[in-house]
């Protein structure tokens, strides 16, 4: 294990309210999650990322908080949450929570006070304009559902800024009191025992909004300041940020350029996500090769978080129109599968036609690429989506635990469930559930367990350096390697459907008892690495050499 836990973590993202319901009210809760920690431990997860857990009117699935110092009573009490932290820790599992401080709910007492009077002590906690800002119809995050970024509030008799939905007024980061409060919020949860935060919407948090200026400057110093604070309060705490910006803008999120990583520890690799989707759609690894080559160099301690699916739509906005069309044509051809004109609201298994080989290939690829893998709940059993639900809710259906009614998620009357379980077709819980896969050594779940176990023995992926192996390859095949003091791993992934043979004999001199450690099928001995067979959608993780050195 390297020095920093997050470099070799396996992060599992879940929404407590759709995971496991312990009291039969139709909403998942902390006690339900505690009851599933053994499952997560067996899967090999080392860190949970919980989607927002605060009290909220839930107009944006909790990304609209009304109290940052409490938990949504539907999920349990703060006591239950503390118990969850304890129980997770007993199993070596850390917990990070969403920190959603770009905005609050408009029902938050701060906003209620702010709008009530210009003299409110909270007035300056939000961003106001006296007159309609010229850029009010620019910069919407949810085109189609959101029509402006400034809305007139009749009570306040002023316009307030909201980068997201109109019920999510932006906090005013330029107000020192807001900064102090954000730090206090992090202190509170760190004191309770969380290992860090998934920071929501970071580019917007640090935006120094000015009415009429759609390109407001950003205050990166706040990130330095917050990092200092968080790290002082808990030395091994981590900040994992959502910053979906152009690659050349990313380095300043990690550090101030002095060479030290003094801001965010980990960023989601949105660029890679889009490119992975494109590579899978075109059966051509070229864009992944580009991604490996173009990735900005990170300061020490900086790390990517890789993902295929999360709780939002797959965002294809950074691909060219041609590229985007190819992905949509393959994975989201029906308009009902698309969202905001830029993304796909589906889970991976249905996107890949529920083709087991293809699903394994995609996840083997993600988990072998540089960075820390993040896995969305339900993906490990190949859950599907429900397109009859609105927007992103299509991929936020309850976890499918068993053959029992409500997929074993809850004993409530089905009418009372937070969201309906998927109960029809190939992805219905009758076919896709944990119980069915738990005892089946050939199941997707068993495969994930094995793959994650294999990852544990390959610290080079998380802590080492990853590069493309630039030798002639059959069409569709990506060869890459991860190097570190512990040795070298070599990976072959065939994005195409043809069986091929690969020659990696140029690596033979470095090899020391090379051996397959994870494959989609039995391939026999790796020999001299010159005639490596690889089936259509096949993959081979090969340990080239291993030393007893460590990080
Ligand atoms: C982030 C979240 C998304 C949420 C938005 C507003 O993008 O991932 O789910 O709607 O922020 O908080």
């Amino acid at each position: 294990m390297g020095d920093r836990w997050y470099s070799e973590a396996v992060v599992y993202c879940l929404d407590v309210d759709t995971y496991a319901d312990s009291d039969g009210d139709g909403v998942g809760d902390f006690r339900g999650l505690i009851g599933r920690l053994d499952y997560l431990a067996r899967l090999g997860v080392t860190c949970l990322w919980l989607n927002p857990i605060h009290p909220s009117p839930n107009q944006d699935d909790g990304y609209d908080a009304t109290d940052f110092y409490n938990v949504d009573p539907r999920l349990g009490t703060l006591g239950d949450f503390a118990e969850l932290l304890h129980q997770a820790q007993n199993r070596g599992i850390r917990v990070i929570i969403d920190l959603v401080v770009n905005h609050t709910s408009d029902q938050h007492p701060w906003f209620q006070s702010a709008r009530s009077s210009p003299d409110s002590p909270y007035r300056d906690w939000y961003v106001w304009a006296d007159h309609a800002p010229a850029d009010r119809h620019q910069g919407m995050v949810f085109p189609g559902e959101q029509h402006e970024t400034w809305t007139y509030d009749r009570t306040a008799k002023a316009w307030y800024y909201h980068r997201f939905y109109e019920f999510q007024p932006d906090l005013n980061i330029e107000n020192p009191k807001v900064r102090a409060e954000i730090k206090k919020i992090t202190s509170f949860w760190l004191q309770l025992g969380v290992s860090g935060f998934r920071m929501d919407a970071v580019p917007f948090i640090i935006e120094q909004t000015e009415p009429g200026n759609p390109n407001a400057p950003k205050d990166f110093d706040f990130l330095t300041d917050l990092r200092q604070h968080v790290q002082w309060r808990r030395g091994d705490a981590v900040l994992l940020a959502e910053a979906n910006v152009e690659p050349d803008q990313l380095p300043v999120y990690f550090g101030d350029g002095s060479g030290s990583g003094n801001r965010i520890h980990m960023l989601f690799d949105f660029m890679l996500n889009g490119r992975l989707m494109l590579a899978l759609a075109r059966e051509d690894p070229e864009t992944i090769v580009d991604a490996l080559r173009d990735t900005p160099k990170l300061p020490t301690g900086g790390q990517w978080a890789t993902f295929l699916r999360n709780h939002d739509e797959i965002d294809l906005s950074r691909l060219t129109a041609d590229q985007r069309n190819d992905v949509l044509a393959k994975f989201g051809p029906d308009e009902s599968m698309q969202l905001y004109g830029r993304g796909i609201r589906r889970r991976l298994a249905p996107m890949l036609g529920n083709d087991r080989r293809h699903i394994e290939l995609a996840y083997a690829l993600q988990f072998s690429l540089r960075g820390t893998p993040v896995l969305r709940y339900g993906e490990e059993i190949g859950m599907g989506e429900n397109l009859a639900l609105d927007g992103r809710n299509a991929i936020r259906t309850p976890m499918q635990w068993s053959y029992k009614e409500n997929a074993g998620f809850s004993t409530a009357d089905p009418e009372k469930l937070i969201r309906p379980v998927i109960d029809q077709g190939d992805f219905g819980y009758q076919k896709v559930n944990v119980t069915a896969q738990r005892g089946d050594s050939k199941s997707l779940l068993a495969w994930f367990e094995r793959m994650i176990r294999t990852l544990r023995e390959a610290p080079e992926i998380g802590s080492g350096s990853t590069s493309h192996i630039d030798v002639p390859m059959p069409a569709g095949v990506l060869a890459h390697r991860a190097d570190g003091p512990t040795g070298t791993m070599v990976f072959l992934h065939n994005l195409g459907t043809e069986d091929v043979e690969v020659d990696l004999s140029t690596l033979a001199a470095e090899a020391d008892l090379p051996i397959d450690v994870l494959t989609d099928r039995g391939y026999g001995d790796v020999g001299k690495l010159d005639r490596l067979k690889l089936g259509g959608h096949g993959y081979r993780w090969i340990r080239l050499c291993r030393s007893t050195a460590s990080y």
Side-chain angles (χ1 to χ4, degrees):
M1 171 68 83
D3 189 38
R4 296 173 181 236
W5 67 266
Y6 57 85
S7 298
E8 288 164 44
V10 174
V11 181
Y12 186 91
C13 155
L14 70 93
D15 226 325
V16 177
D17 61 10
T18 50
Y19 204 62
D21 170 17
S22 72
D23 58 6
D25 66 353
V27 181
D29 46 48
F30 295 123
R31 292 166 64 98
L33 173 55
I34 291 171
R36 298 299 182 177
L37 286 173
D38 291 329
Y39 164 79
L40 292 164
R42 169 171 159 175
L43 178 58
V45 164
T46 62
C47 177
L48 301 182
W49 151 30
L50 307 184
N51 291 129
I53 55 172
H54 306 308
S56 162
N58 274 303
Q59 287 176 278
D60 183 13
D61 209 14
Y63 285 89
D64 48 338
T66 51
D67 180 0
F68 291 109
Y69 296 103
N70 215 330
V71 295
D72 184 338
R74 297 173 320 144
L75 310 181
T77 64
L78 262 183
D80 295 328
F81 180 72
E83 188 62 19
L84 167 69
L85 293 179
H86 173 73
Q87 294 287 348
Q89 188 182 30
N90 276 351
R91 293 163 177 82
I93 298 177
R94 293 169 182 267
V95 177
I96 66 175
I97 60 170
D98 241 296
L99 179 68
V100 189
V101 290
N102 173 66
H103 47 262
T104 66
S105 159
D106 61 357
Q107 304 303 308
H108 196 295
W110 300 340
F111 188 71
Q112 290 298 324
S113 168
R115 74 172 8 157
S116 70
S117 156
D119 302 326
S120 154
Y122 292 101
R123 185 73 161 198
D124 284 345
W125 285 44
Y126 294 87
V127 184
W128 300 98
D130 292 335
H131 306 287
D135 60 339
R136 62 181 266 231
H137 294 300
Q138 290 180 45
M140 281 84 72
V141 175
F142 302 124
E145 292 186 11
Q146 185 194 356
H147 304 290
E148 54 187 7
T149 46
W150 291 89
T151 291
Y152 185 71
D153 186 71
R154 277 201 240 150
T155 315
K157 299 193 180 53
W159 297 77
Y160 67 91
Y161 181 66
H162 54 91
R163 177 55 85 161
F164 296 92
Y165 291 112
E166 70 176 66
F167 53 80
Q168 292 167 314
D170 272 40
L171 284 164
N172 177 13
I173 190 68
E174 291 188 75
N175 182 340
K177 290 190 178 141
V178 169
R179 294 176 182 229
E181 191 73 27
I182 293 175
K183 288 194 216 163
K184 204 198 278 184
I185 293 166
T186 60
S187 308
F188 177 81
W189 294 100
L190 290 170
Q191 199 70 32
L192 265 184
V194 303
S195 290
F197 304 92
R198 178 267 186 189
M199 282 185 76
D200 190 56
V202 172
F204 303 135
I205 296 180
I206 57 176
E207 200 171 37
Q208 296 169 298
T209 313
E210 301 158 2
N213 178 4
N215 299 310
K218 294 188 172 58
D219 183 357
F220 286 95
D221 288 344
F222 176 62
L223 298 181
T224 324
D225 192 22
L226 184 68
R227 163 71 179 264
Q228 281 245 359
H229 174 78
V230 163
Q231 215 82 81
W232 169 243
R233 290 299 176 99
R234 180 167 171 165
D236 64 351
V238 74
L239 297 173
L240 163 59
E242 179 199 36
N244 188 356
V245 299
E246 291 293 337
D248 61 334
Q249 295 173 26
L250 286 168
V252 276
Y253 286 85
F254 285 106
D256 63 9
S258 61
S260 106
N262 56 359
R263 289 177 180 156
I264 303 289
H265 304 79
M266 275 204 283
L267 286 176
F268 286 106
D269 199 341
F270 280 93
M271 194 49 130
L272 180 67
N273 180 252
R275 288 173 167 183
L276 273 169
M277 291 301 157
L278 181 62
L280 290 169
R282 288 188 173 169
E283 301 185 356
D284 179 354
E286 191 192 333
T287 48
I288 305 175
V289 175
D290 292 346
L292 288 178
R293 200 189 40 227
D294 300 346
T295 308
K297 195 171 165 352
L298 304 187
T300 309
Q303 176 84 342
W304 297 108
T306 64
F307 63 103
L308 286 173
R309 293 303 296 113
N310 63 15
H311 62 295
D312 289 329
E313 80 286 0
I314 298 174
D315 185 348
L316 304 171
S317 58
R318 293 192 195 285
L319 299 180
T320 65
D322 274 357
Q323 293 174 332
R324 190 162 46 247
N325 289 340
D326 283 357
V327 180
L328 290 175
K330 192 83 177 250
F331 297 143
D334 201 293
E335 215 175 305
S336 67
M337 301 166 173
Q338 303 170 7
L339 199 61
Y340 310 132
R342 61 162 183 247
I344 301 180
R345 56 184 204 118
R346 305 188 74 191
R347 279 188 177 262
L348 196 79
M351 281 174 43
L352 300 183
N354 211 9
D355 176 342
R356 172 63 186 276
R357 274 196 200 289
H358 213 176
I359 299 168
E360 278 184 29
L361 170 83
Y363 276 110
L365 184 55
Q366 182 213 330
F367 277 61
S368 69
L369 287 169
R370 80 276 186 283
T372 298
V374 181
L375 181 67
R376 173 83 174 146
Y377 81 89
E379 288 291 303
E380 73 275 25
I381 53 170
M383 272 173 59
E385 69 270 346
N386 178 355
L387 294 175
L389 300 179
D390 274 353
R392 293 167 293 170
N393 284 346
I395 48 162
R396 298 174 177 178
T397 60
M399 179 66 178
Q400 295 174 193
W401 292 106
S402 74
Y403 300 102
K404 283 199 203 152
E405 192 180 33
N406 299 332
F409 157 70
S410 168
T411 54
D413 184 326
E415 301 284 299
K416 293 217 175 98
L417 297 191
I418 170 163
R419 255 167 239 131
V421 296
I422 296 180
D423 62 358
Q424 284 165 20
D426 287 345
F427 298 97
Y429 69 84
Q430 299 87 343
K431 289 197 178 155
V432 176
N433 68 59
V434 170
T435 302
Q437 297 191 23
R438 188 179 263 137
D440 175 1
S441 62
K442 294 199 162 42
S443 66
L444 184 61
L445 176 62
W447 178 81
F448 263 101
E449 291 172 358
R450 203 165 56 246
M451 188 265 284
I452 292 173
R453 257 198 325 269
T454 309
L455 189 71
R456 289 272 74 78
E457 270 198 304
E460 300 87 357
I461 298 175
S463 294
S465 61
T466 302
S467 52
H468 170 228
I469 301 174
D470 196 6
V471 298
M473 279 291 135
V477 177
L478 175 72
H480 68 285
R481 61 186 286 165
D483 295 276
T486 46
T488 298
M489 291 284 296
V490 168
F491 308 96
L492 291 174
H493 291 90
N494 184 0
L495 279 65
T497 49
E498 303 288 318
D499 292 359
V500 295
E501 204 171 85
V502 173
D503 180 2
L504 282 182
S505 53
T506 49
L507 303 182
E510 298 174 61
D512 180 17
L513 294 178
I515 181 176
D516 275 321
V517 290
L518 187 79
T519 55
D520 64 302
R521 66 192 88 175
Y523 283 115
D525 202 58
V526 299
K528 297 195 170 67
L529 302 169
D530 56 342
R531 301 187 59 182
L532 295 166
K533 292 197 183 322
L534 197 58
H537 288 162
Y539 55 86
R540 295 176 83 157
W541 288 15
I542 300 169
R543 164 130 328 261
L544 195 67
C545 55
R546 171 94 202 190
S547 88
T548 47
S550 69
Y551 280 88

